[in-house]
Amino acid sequence: MQVFSTFEYSSYIELAISELERKGIKKEEIFIVPLNNRMEDRRIFDSLHRADGVSLIDLGMALATAFSVIGASIGFKLSWGPIYWGLISAFIGFILGLGIKLFMFKVIKKNQRLLRGKHSEVILIVDCRTVDAEMVEQTLWKNLALGVSKVRSDKL
């Protein structure tokens, strides 16, 4: 039986491995795979086939609506009239909202991601007998595994 688990990169992996070795699992039956971190920055603009669920235009549309109402109201007193001033102020509100969202995602969210220090996970695979699978699973959970799964193999 194979037991798969994921860990954050920390000393708990070493503790789990040493505890498994003390309980009779050989070094040759333990396999560790560190995952690589993303090197390039995430794209901000979505394409037709890929979207990440983050909208850049929502604040721009809200500010465009608010600015157009105010601009149209003030436009009754100005020389170009309410329609032109409503469209001009809607455009200004949209650009302002888009600029605020871009600033938030490029500067503030990037700093939060760097401060949080989220590291890639490590995958730990343990090849063991079926009778030892429950003990291995409990050991991994006790050492703060993020997830654990058992896969039955035919050879054992």
Side-chain angles (χ1 to χ4, degrees):
M1 179 164 277
Q2 290 182 329
V3 180
F4 293 82
S5 64
T6 56
F7 286 87
E8 283 186 8
Y9 190 75
S10 66
S11 61
Y12 289 106
I13 304 164
E14 300 294 330
L15 293 172
I17 292 170
S18 63
E19 189 171 340
L20 288 173
E21 288 176 352
R22 274 196 315 265
K23 291 183 177 180
I25 305 294
K26 298 177 196 156
K27 274 187 180 179
E28 295 81 29
E29 296 172 341
I30 300 172
F31 186 66
I32 302 168
V33 181
L35 299 176
N36 294 331
N37 288 325
R38 175 183 278 261
M39 291 298 174
E40 71 270 0
D41 287 336
R42 295 177 68 185
R43 293 189 298 186
I44 288 184
F45 297 107
D46 296 336
S47 67
L48 179 64
H49 302 291
R50 186 199 65 82
D52 57 1
V54 176
S55 175
L56 291 176
I57 64 168
D58 57 349
L59 183 62
M61 289 298 189
L63 288 180
T65 303
F67 278 42
S68 67
V69 169
I70 294 169
S73 300
I74 296 172
F76 280 107
K77 297 178 185 174
L78 299 176
S79 63
W80 286 358
I83 294 177
Y84 284 126
W85 285 109
L87 289 173
I88 291 169
S89 57
F91 180 73
I92 291 171
F94 180 77
I95 296 299
L96 182 67
L98 185 68
I100 290 171
K101 276 289 204 171
L102 280 173
F103 177 76
M104 284 174 48
F105 284 117
K106 289 298 268 185
V107 176
I108 296 172
K109 296 286 183 180
K110 183 178 180 181
N111 289 342
Q112 287 177 352
R113 278 195 311 261
L114 292 176
L115 288 176
R116 200 175 313 133
K118 190 72 171 166
H119 299 291
S120 66
E121 296 176 355
V122 176
I123 300 173
L124 177 69
I125 304 170
V126 179
D127 200 15
C128 62
R129 297 186 317 248
T130 307
V131 295
D132 294 333
E134 190 64 33
M135 177 269 304
V136 170
E137 182 180 12
Q138 292 304 318
T139 302
L140 296 174
W141 281 124
K142 189 173 75 174
N143 287 294
L144 302 179
L146 297 175
V148 177
S149 179
K150 295 185 278 191
V151 177
R152 187 180 214 39
S153 61
D154 294 334
K155 67 178 186 172
L156 294 175

